[in-house]
C-alpha cells in the first residue's frame, strides 16, 4: 500500500487542482508538497520516484517560461497560424459586434451563479405599466383579427390612427425626440399583449421598433437626420421600413447585388453630390405603406469623388417615399397574416449624400451598423411575439380542455391530451423565461449577439411546437377559420417568425455556436487576436500566456465533466433552495461537458467545424438549453421561489437537460475522428446517458395547472390579453373557467341520473328540468349547469358561412384588397 501512496497523493491533488481550476504554479506546488508529504510518511522508495520523476519532467519545463515558449508555444503558434480559418471582414464584424453576458459563464464550464442571481430583477416602471393597462388594453379591445386578416388584409384606419396617436411606433425613441423611451422589458410586454390577440398588429408594431431607420438613426444618424426623422417616426407621421433582402441575397445578406454609384445629380432642383441607386428588394415589412425606406446597398465611387476607394462597401440610405423612381406599394401576402409587406425597387434612383444614414462619413460602414443593431431588435421582437402567443395558447388550451367534454369527461383528463397540455405549459414557462432574460440583457445595456440568436431561434421554434399542440387539442375548433378561431392565423403564421430576422435553420446551424464558441470562449478570441500581433516577441509571449491558460481550462473541464458525470451531478457548490440546488448542479455538469466538447471539437476540426453544421448546431443546442434553463432558474428566484410554479419549472428543466444530453450524444456519435469521440464519451458520459425526459406524473401536474385558475397559471399568462371583452373569446372562455369547474360535481350527479334511466327527456335543458324535478339536482345546481352549457356552447361553436358570403369574401376580401392596392 505504501508504494501506491505517492501516486494516489499526486493524482488526488492534481484532480482537486484541476476541478478547482488552480493555475499551473499552484498545481506544481500543491503536487510537489503532496509528493513530499507522501515520501515523508511512507518513505522515498521506488514507488515514490516512479511518480516524482515523471512529475518533475512535466512540471519543470512547463514552469520555465523561456524554455516553454521556445520549445512548446513557438511550434504550436506556427500550427495555429496555419489552421486558423481566415476571417472575412463580414465574419470579423459579426464576431466583434455585441457583448457577452451570462452565456459566457455557461461556456466556461464553471458558471458563477452569483453573477446571474445578482442581476437586477426586470420590472416595468409605473409609467410603462400604465401604458400597458391603458392604451395597449384599449388597442386590444379595438382589434378584430378576422376583419384584419380576412376582410381588409390590413389594419382598419382607426387602428392605424390609434397606433400613431399613442406612439406605438416610437417605443425605442427617446423622450427628447417625442418617443416613449420604454425599457426593453416594456417594449416586449407591449408586443406580447398585442401578439396574444393579433399576429398582424403585433408584427406591424414590432418592425418600426426593431432594426430599422429609428434604431439606426439613434446610433449613427447625423444631428440633422435625428432632429428631422425621430420626432416624425415617434408619432407616426413617418412610417419606416428597412430593405435589405432581395431575390439574390436572403440569408447571405452581405451578397446584396444592389448598388449605388457616387455621382452628381439633381435633388430638389439643385445639382448635388449623391448616389444613383439600382435595387430590387423583396419581403420588406411595412414597405407598401412606408413613407421612408431604409435601404442597404453596395456603394461604388468609380470617379473617386469621395476619396481614393472605388468599392466603399455596404452603405445605408434613407429614401423618402416620394423619391423619383422609387417603385413601392405592391404587396406580398405572408401566409394570411396580412401585415404590410412587399417589394421595393428602383433603377437609377438619385439621392444626395445627406440621405446616407450617418452622412458620407458612414459610407461603407453599413454592415457593421446592421450587425451592431441587429442583436437588440432580435432579442425583443420575435421572442416577444412568440411569447405573447404561447401565453394566450396556454390560457386558451387549458380552458378549452376543461370546458370541452367527450366521452363524458373534460378532454384535458385524457392522458393523450394531458401530454400535449404538459408540453404547452412547460414550454410556455421556458419561452417566457427566455424572452424575459433577453429583454433584461438589453436593459442592462448589453448587445446580446449570441443570446438574441438563442432567443429568436428557440422562442419561435418552441412556439411552433406549442401552436401545434394547441391546434391538436382544439381539434376542428382550431381548423375552421372564422371570427371564432383564435388559433388558426397563428398556426398559419408560425413559419413567418421562423424565417425572418435570420432564418432558423441557419441561426441554429451557423450562428448560435459559431458566434458563441468564439465570443463566449474565454480564450479562443484572445488566441486569434494574439496570432495577429505584429511584433513577433509580443506575439509569442501573448500566445504562450493565453495558450497555457487555455490548456489549463481544457484539463479542468475534462476533470470537472468526468467528476460531475461520475457523481451524476449530485456534488459541488450550488445556490438555490432545497428544490433547485440539484438543478444548478446539473447545469454545472453540462456546462463542463459543453466547454470540454466544444474545445476539443474546435481543436480537432479547426476551420472545418464551420462547415460541420450538424455538429455545430448540436453544440449550439447545448448552449441554448443551458441558457434557457438558467433563465428559468433566475425567473424562479426573481418571483420569490413560488412553490406553485415548481411543476412548470421541473417539467421544462427535465426536458432541457434531456435535450442537452441528446444533443451531446449526437455530437459524439457523429464526430468524425472516432478515437477522440470515444475518449470524450468516457469523460462526458462515464455511466452512459442517464437523463430522462419529464415523467408522466409531472406532466399531469403541469396539465392540471393549465386547466384550472391558480397563481402559477396567472403568472404564466401575464401580459396576455385575457379581458373577457366581446372581441376576445379566449378572455371570455378563461373567465368561465371557475364556474365550469364548480359545475363538474353537479354534472357528475346529473350524468349518473341520466345513466340510471330515470330521466326520459331527450333535450339537454329539458333533461336538467326533469333531474331537478326528480330531486337528483337542486334548483341552483340546475341553473349552474344550464348557464355553463349555454356559455360553453359559444366557445365550442365554430363559424359557418353562407356560400355566397365566402364567394363574396373572395371578391371583396384579401384578394380584392390586395388587387385594389396594386
Ligand atoms: C414575412 C417576411 C418579412 C420580412 N421582412 C423583412 C424586412 O422587413 N426587411 C428585410 O430586409 N428582409 C425581410 N425579410 C427577409 C428575411 O429576413 C429573409 O426571408 C431571410 O433572411 C431568409 O432569406 P430567404 O427567404 O431568401 O431564404 P434563403 O436565404 O434562401 O434560405 C433558405 C433556407 O436555407 C437556409 N440556409 C441558408 N443559408 C444557410 C446556411 N449557411 N446554413 C444553414 N442553412 C442555411 C435558411 O435557414 C433557410 O431555411 C422578410 C421575410 C419574410 C418572409
Amino acid at each position: 500500500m505504501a508504494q501506491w501512496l505517492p501516486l494516489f497523493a499526486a493524482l488526488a491533488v492534481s484532480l482537486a487542482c484541476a476541478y478547482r481550476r488552480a493555475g499551473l504554479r499552484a498545481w506544481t506546488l500543491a503536487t510537489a508538497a503532496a509528493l513530499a508529504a507522501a515520501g515523508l510518511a511512507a518513505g522515498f522508495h521506488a514507488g515514490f520516484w516512479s511518480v516524482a520523476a515523471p512529475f518533475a519532467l512535466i512540471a519543470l519545463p512547463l514552469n520555465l517560461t523561456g524554455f516553454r515558449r521556445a520549445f512548446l508555444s513557438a511550434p504550436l503558434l506556427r500550427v495555429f497560424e496555419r489552421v486558423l480559418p481566415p476571417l472575412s471582414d463580414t465574419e470579423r464584424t459579426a464576431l466583434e459586434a455585441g457583448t457577452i453576458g451570462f452565456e459566457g459563464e455557461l461556456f466556461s464550464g464553471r458558471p458563477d451563479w452569483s453573477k446571474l442571481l445578482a442581476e437586477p430583477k426586470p420590472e416595468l416602471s409605473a409609467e410603462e405599466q400604465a401604458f400597458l393597462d391603458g392604451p395597449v388594453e384599449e388597442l386590444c379591445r379595438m382589434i378584430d383579427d378576422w376583419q384584419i386578416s380576412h376582410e381588409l388584409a390590413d389594419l382598419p384606419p382607426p387602428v392605424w390612427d390609434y397606433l400613431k396617436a399613442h406612439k406605438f411606433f416610437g417605443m425605442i425613441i427617446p423622450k427628447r425626440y417625442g418617443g416613449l423611451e420604454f425599457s426593453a422589458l416594456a417594449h416586449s410586454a407591449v408586443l406580447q399583449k398585442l401578439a396574444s390577440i393579433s399576429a398582424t398588429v403585433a408584427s406591424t408594431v414590432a418592425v418600426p421598433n426593431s432594426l430599422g431607420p429609428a434604431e439606426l438613426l439613434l446610433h449613427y444618424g447625423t444631428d440633422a437626420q435625428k432632429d428631422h426623422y425621430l420626432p416624425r417616426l415617434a408619432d407616426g407621421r413617418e412610417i419606416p421600413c428597412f430593405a435589405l433582402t432581395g431575390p439574390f441575397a436572403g440569408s447571405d445578406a452581405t451578397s446584396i447585388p444592389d448598388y449605388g454609384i457616387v455621382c452628381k445629380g439633381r435633388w430638389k432642383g439643385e445639382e448635388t453630390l449623391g448616389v444613383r441607386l439600382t435595387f430590387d428588394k423583396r419581403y420588406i415589412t411595412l414597405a407598401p405603406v412606408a413613407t421612408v425606406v431604409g435601404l442597404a446597398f453596395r456603394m461604388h465611387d468609380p470617379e473617386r469623388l469621395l476619396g481614393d476607394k472605388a468599392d466603399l462597401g455596404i452603405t445605408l440610405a434613407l429614401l423618402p417615399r416620394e423619391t423619383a423612381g422609387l417603385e413601392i406599394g405592391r404587396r406580398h401576402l405572408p401566409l394570411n397574416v396580412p401585415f404590410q409587406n412587399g417589394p421595393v425597387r428602383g433603377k437609377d434612383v438619385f439621392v444626395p449624400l445627406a440621405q446616407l444614414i450617418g452622412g458620407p462619413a458612414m459610407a461603407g460602414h453599413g454592415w457593421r451598423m446592421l450587425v451592431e443593431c441587429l442583436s437588440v431588435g432580435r432579442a425583443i421582437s420575435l421572442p416577444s411575439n412568440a411569447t405573447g402567443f404561447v401565453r394566450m395558447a396556454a390560457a386558451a388550451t387549458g380552458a378549452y380542455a376543461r370546458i370541452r367534454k367527450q366521452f363524458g369527461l373534460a378532454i384535458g383528463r385524457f392522458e393523450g391530451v394531458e401530454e400535449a397540455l404538459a408540453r404547452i405549459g412547460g414550454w410556455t414557462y421556458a419561452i417566457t423565461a427566455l424572452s424575459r432574460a433577453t429583454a433584461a440583457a438589453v436593459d442592462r445595456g448589453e448587445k446580446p449577439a449570441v443570446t438574441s440568436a438563442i432567443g429568436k431561434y428557440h422562442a419561435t421554434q418552441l412556439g411552433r411546437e406549442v401552436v401545434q399542440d394547441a391546434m391538436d387539442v382544439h381539434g376542428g375548433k382550431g381548423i375552421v377559420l372564422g371570427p371564432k378561431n383564435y388559433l388558426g392565423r397563428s398556426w398559419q403564421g408560425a413559419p413567418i417568425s421562423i424565417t425572418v430576422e435570420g432564418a432558423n435553420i441557419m441561426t441554429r446551424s451557423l450562428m448560435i455556436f459559431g458566434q458563441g464558441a468564439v465570443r463566449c470562449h474565454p480564450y479562443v478570441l484572445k488566441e486569434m487576436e494574439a496570432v495577429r500581433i505584429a511584433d513577433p516577441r509580443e506575439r509569442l509571449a501573448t500566445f504562450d500566456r493565453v495558450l497555457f491558460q487555455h490548456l489549463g481550462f481544457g484539463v479542468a473541464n475534462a476533470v470537472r465533466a468526468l467528476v460531475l458525470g461520475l457523481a451524476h451531478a449530485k456534488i459541488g457548490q450550488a445556490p438555490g433552495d432545497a428544490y433547485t440546488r440539484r438543478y444548478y448542479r446539473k447545469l454545472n455538469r453540462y456546462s463542463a461537458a459543453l466547454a470540454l466538447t466544444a474545445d476539443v471539437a474546435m481543436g480537432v476540426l479547426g476551420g472545418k467545424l464551420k462547415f460541420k453544421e450538424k455538429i455545430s448546431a448540436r453544440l449550439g443546442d447545448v448552449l441554448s438549453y443551458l441558457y434557457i434553463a438558467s433563465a428559468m432558474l433566475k425567473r424562479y428566484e426573481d418571483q420569490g421561489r413560488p412553490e406553485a410554479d415548481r411543476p412548470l419549472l421541473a417539467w421544462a428543466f427535465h426536458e432541457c437537460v434531456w435535450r442537452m444530453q441528446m444533443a451531446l450524444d449526437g455530437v459524439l456519435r457523429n464526430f468524425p475522428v472516432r478515437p477522440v469521440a470515444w475518449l470524450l464519451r468516457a469523460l462526458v458520459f462515464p455511466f452512459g446517458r442517464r437523463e430522462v425526459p419529464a415523467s408522466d406524473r409531472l406532466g399531469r401536474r403541469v396539465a392540471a395547472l393549465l386547466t384550472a385558475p391558480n397563481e402559477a397559471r396567472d403568472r404564466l399568462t401575464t401580459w396576455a390579453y385575457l379581458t373577457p371583452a366581446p372581441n376576445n373569446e379566449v378572455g371570455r372562455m378563461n373567465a368561465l373557467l371557475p364556474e365550469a369547474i364548480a359545475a363538474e360535481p353537479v354534472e357528475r350527479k346529473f350524468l349518473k341520473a341520466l345513466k340510471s334511466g330515470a330521466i326520459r327527456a331527450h333535450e339537454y335543458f329539458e333533461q336538467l328540468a326533469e333531474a331537478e324535478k326528480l330531486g337528483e339536482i337542486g334548483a341552483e345546481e340546475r341553473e349552474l349547469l344550464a348557464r355553463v352549457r349555454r356559455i360553453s356552447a359559444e366557445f365550442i361553436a365554430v363559424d359557418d358561412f353562407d356560400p355566397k358570403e365566402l364567394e363574396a369574401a373572395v371578391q371583396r376580401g384579401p384578394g380584392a384588397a390586395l388587387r385594389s392596392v396594386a
Side-chain angles (χ1 to χ4, degrees):
M1 183 63 201
Q3 75 192 55
W4 293 105
L5 191 64
L7 181 64
F8 287 147
L11 265 180
V13 168
S14 297
L15 284 177
C17 285
Y19 186 84
R20 301 206 61 81
R21 295 249 166 104
L24 178 62
R25 209 131 284 169
W27 167 73
T28 310
L29 290 175
T31 311
L35 274 175
L40 285 172
F44 295 95
H45 42 64
F48 172 85
W49 292 112
S50 68
V51 179
F55 166 70
L57 270 177
I58 295 170
L60 265 175
L62 290 183
N63 281 283
L64 295 173
T65 315
F67 181 87
R68 184 179 81 195
R69 278 187 194 161
F71 294 99
L72 287 170
S73 301
L76 280 171
L77 175 60
R78 283 195 289 278
V79 174
F80 210 80
E81 284 167 336
R82 235 187 7 254
V83 301
L84 195 68
L87 274 189
S88 66
D89 284 350
T90 313
E91 284 172 312
R92 194 194 315 276
T93 306
L95 285 177
E96 286 167 2
T99 56
I100 290 300
F102 192 69
E103 63 278 19
E105 290 291 322
L106 294 171
F107 215 96
S108 74
R110 194 184 184 198
D112 180 352
W113 295 106
S114 66
K115 287 189 183 159
L116 178 77
L117 300 176
E119 283 168 3
K121 177 179 164 183
E123 274 173 320
L124 298 181
S125 70
E127 184 193 354
E128 291 166 343
Q129 185 64 52
F131 188 79
L132 209 58
D133 298 339
V136 185
E137 177 76 17
E138 185 52 34
L139 174 63
C140 289
R141 276 180 198 275
M142 293 166 70
I143 291 170
D144 174 349
D145 199 48
W146 179 246
Q147 182 199 37
I148 290 172
S149 64
H150 182 71
E151 292 166 8
L152 301 178
D154 192 6
L155 312 186
V159 171
W160 275 112
D161 293 344
Y162 194 86
L163 289 172
K164 293 174 187 175
H166 288 84
K167 303 188 174 177
F168 277 81
F169 298 140
M171 283 192 278
I172 59 166
I173 297 179
K175 287 191 171 145
R176 65 179 184 283
Y177 293 112
L180 294 175
E181 197 175 349
F182 275 174
S183 64
L185 185 72
H187 174 184
S188 169
V190 171
L191 292 181
Q192 288 186 36
K193 192 154 177 166
L194 296 179
S196 71
I197 177 99
S198 168
T200 309
V201 177
S203 304
T204 304
V205 173
V207 167
N209 289 294
S210 183
L211 177 64
E215 174 87 1
L216 292 164
L217 285 172
L218 272 172
H219 289 95
Y220 310 103
T222 61
D223 287 343
Q225 288 171 337
K226 287 183 191 170
D227 292 343
H228 175 75
Y229 279 111
L230 291 177
R232 298 170 64 80
L233 287 166
D235 63 18
R237 273 174 290 164
E238 300 279 4
I239 298 290
C241 69
F242 190 79
L244 174 63
T245 308
F248 295 99
S251 301
D252 180 11
T254 53
S255 65
I256 44 172
D258 315 282
Y259 60 90
I261 307 289
V262 180
C263 62
K264 289 202 171 129
R266 294 201 78 74
W267 181 259
K268 294 185 179 161
E270 284 182 27
E271 196 180 64
T272 319
L273 191 58
V275 266
R276 206 175 55 240
L277 296 156
T278 295
F279 51 93
D280 180 4
K281 304 288 193 183
R282 64 177 182 180
Y283 306 152
I284 309 308
T285 302
L286 291 186
V289 294
T291 60
V292 56
V293 178
L295 185 82
F297 61 96
R298 195 165 273 281
M299 188 154 145
H300 301 276
D301 184 11
E303 293 177 41
R304 309 286 202 278
L305 295 173
L306 297 180
D308 55 3
K309 256 175 112 176
D311 181 0
L312 289 159
I314 293 179
T315 304
L316 312 180
L318 288 176
L319 277 65
R321 189 182 181 95
E322 57 279 6
T323 306
L326 177 63
E327 292 171 39
I328 190 165
R330 288 188 65 81
R331 290 185 65 180
H332 300 305
L333 179 55
L335 285 169
N336 286 343
V337 182
F339 53 87
Q340 295 283 339
N341 183 281
V344 186
R345 300 187 184 98
K347 183 153 174 38
D348 295 333
V349 176
F350 181 80
V351 291
L353 292 180
Q355 291 299 119
L356 300 185
I357 299 181
M362 294 311 280
H365 294 283
W367 187 246
R368 183 169 61 78
M369 292 155 75
L370 288 177
V371 172
E372 281 177 1
C373 289
L374 187 68
S375 60
V376 172
R378 194 164 50 198
I380 307 298
S381 11
L382 290 157
S384 306
N385 284 359
T387 305
F389 166 74
V390 297
R391 286 188 194 276
M392 181 281 283
T397 316
Y400 187 79
R402 190 81 187 232
I403 286 164
R404 173 71 172 160
K405 309 270 161 52
Q406 289 295 288
F407 304 97
L409 275 180
I411 56 168
R413 301 283 290 277
F414 298 115
E415 289 206 350
V417 175
E418 210 174 72
E419 234 182 353
L421 286 171
R423 285 193 294 266
I424 294 172
W427 288 131
T428 300
Y429 190 82
I431 295 168
T432 50
L434 174 61
S435 69
R436 181 181 184 273
T438 49
V442 173
D443 279 334
R444 287 194 304 272
E446 287 179 31
K447 289 193 169 182
V450 177
T451 54
S452 67
I454 293 178
K456 191 274 160 174
Y457 176 84
H458 287 275
T460 57
Q461 202 74 17
L462 294 172
R464 177 153 70 174
E465 291 180 29
V466 169
V467 69
Q468 179 168 314
D469 277 320
M471 287 290 286
D472 291 353
V473 172
H474 278 78
K477 167 86 181 163
I479 287 159
V480 172
L481 284 175
K484 298 189 73 57
N485 187 331
Y486 41 81
L487 284 178
R489 292 299 189 219
S490 299
W491 163 255
Q492 288 183 312
I496 299 177
S497 33
I498 300 285
T499 302
V500 299
E501 291 201 24
N504 272 12
I505 295 183
M506 186 192 64
T507 301
R508 172 171 178 257
S509 317
L510 208 63
M511 290 166 70
I512 296 179
F513 183 73
Q515 288 196 355
V518 182
R519 295 304 316 273
C520 298
H521 195 289
Y523 302 110
V524 163
L525 200 55
K526 288 183 190 154
E527 282 162 348
M528 289 164 90
E529 282 162 4
V531 170
R532 293 193 176 87
I533 294 174
D535 176 42
R537 281 172 68 92
E538 196 192 331
R539 179 164 69 228
L540 181 59
T542 313
F543 180 76
D544 170 77
R545 183 170 36 79
V546 182
L547 176 73
F548 276 86
Q549 285 170 346
H550 188 164
L551 288 175
F553 172 80
V555 171
N557 285 327
V559 169
R560 285 180 66 78
L562 177 67
V563 171
L564 294 172
L566 287 170
H568 200 40
K570 288 201 165 51
I571 57 164
Q573 279 187 334
D577 55 17
Y579 190 77
T580 54
R581 200 157 299 131
R582 61 206 160 123
Y583 292 169
Y584 288 98
R585 288 187 175 134
K586 194 75 94 180
L587 299 187
N588 283 340
R589 174 187 174 187
Y590 282 95
S591 170
L594 170 67
L596 171 69
T597 314
D599 239 347
V600 173
M602 286 190 278
V604 173
L605 300 178
K608 283 192 211 131
L609 184 55
K610 201 159 109 179
F611 306 102
K612 292 262 167 221
E613 287 194 348
K614 292 180 218 164
I615 299 280
S616 138
R618 291 183 181 109
L619 289 169
D621 287 347
V622 182
L623 178 62
S624 300
Y625 287 115
L626 277 169
Y627 184 74
I628 297 171
S630 319
M632 295 192 301
L633 288 170
K634 169 73 171 144
R635 171 196 168 142
Y636 175 78
E637 289 294 331
D638 282 351
Q639 294 183 332
R641 301 177 174 175
E643 212 177 314
D645 287 9
R646 284 182 186 170
L648 295 164
L649 170 65
W651 190 96
F653 189 88
H654 281 296
E655 289 293 324
C656 283
V657 171
W658 189 71
R659 287 186 180 201
M660 269 183 240
Q661 169 189 265
M662 298 317 285
L664 271 174
D665 180 59
V667 172
L668 300 181
R669 260 187 301 120
N670 296 286
F671 199 77
V673 186
R674 296 313 298 152
V676 173
W678 298 328
L679 179 66
L680 275 175
R681 186 175 286 282
L683 292 168
V684 170
F685 295 125
F687 289 136
R689 292 170 302 161
R690 292 180 60 199
E691 309 296 350
V692 288
S695 69
D696 290 353
R697 222 174 65 176
L698 187 54
R700 166 165 297 176
R701 289 171 63 204
V702 173
L705 284 180
L706 251 56
T707 51
N710 55 69
E711 50 160 318
R713 187 177 189 274
D714 288 346
R715 270 190 291 274
L716 202 64
T717 57
T718 324
W719 294 340
Y721 174 58
L722 290 179
T723 308
N727 70 334
N728 189 12
E729 182 150 329
V730 176
R732 283 182 282 116
M733 189 163 67
N734 210 42
L736 177 70
L737 204 47
E739 257 186 313
I741 292 170
E744 283 174 355
V746 188
E747 213 163 4
R748 279 197 290 275
K749 274 202 283 182
F750 170 65
L751 284 176
K752 206 168 148 201
L754 263 187
K755 273 194 189 145
S756 74
I759 297 169
R760 304 259 165 229
H762 295 291
E763 196 274 332
Y764 184 77
F765 293 98
E766 287 172 14
Q767 288 174 335
L768 284 183
E770 210 179 323
E772 185 193 346
K773 217 181 275 168
L774 292 170
E776 301 287 351
I777 55 174
E780 272 182 23
E781 289 177 326
R782 180 181 67 87
E783 194 44 51
L784 178 65
L785 287 189
R787 194 179 132 69
V788 167
R789 173 74 164 207
R790 261 195 307 273
I791 304 180
S792 55
E794 190 197 329
F795 305 134
I796 288 159
V798 297
D799 297 285
D800 45 52
F801 303 90
D802 186 307
K804 291 206 167 50
E805 252 183 284
L806 284 183
E807 281 168 26
V810 174
Q811 302 294 321
R812 286 185 286 99
L818 293 180
R819 276 193 299 280
S820 75
V821 170

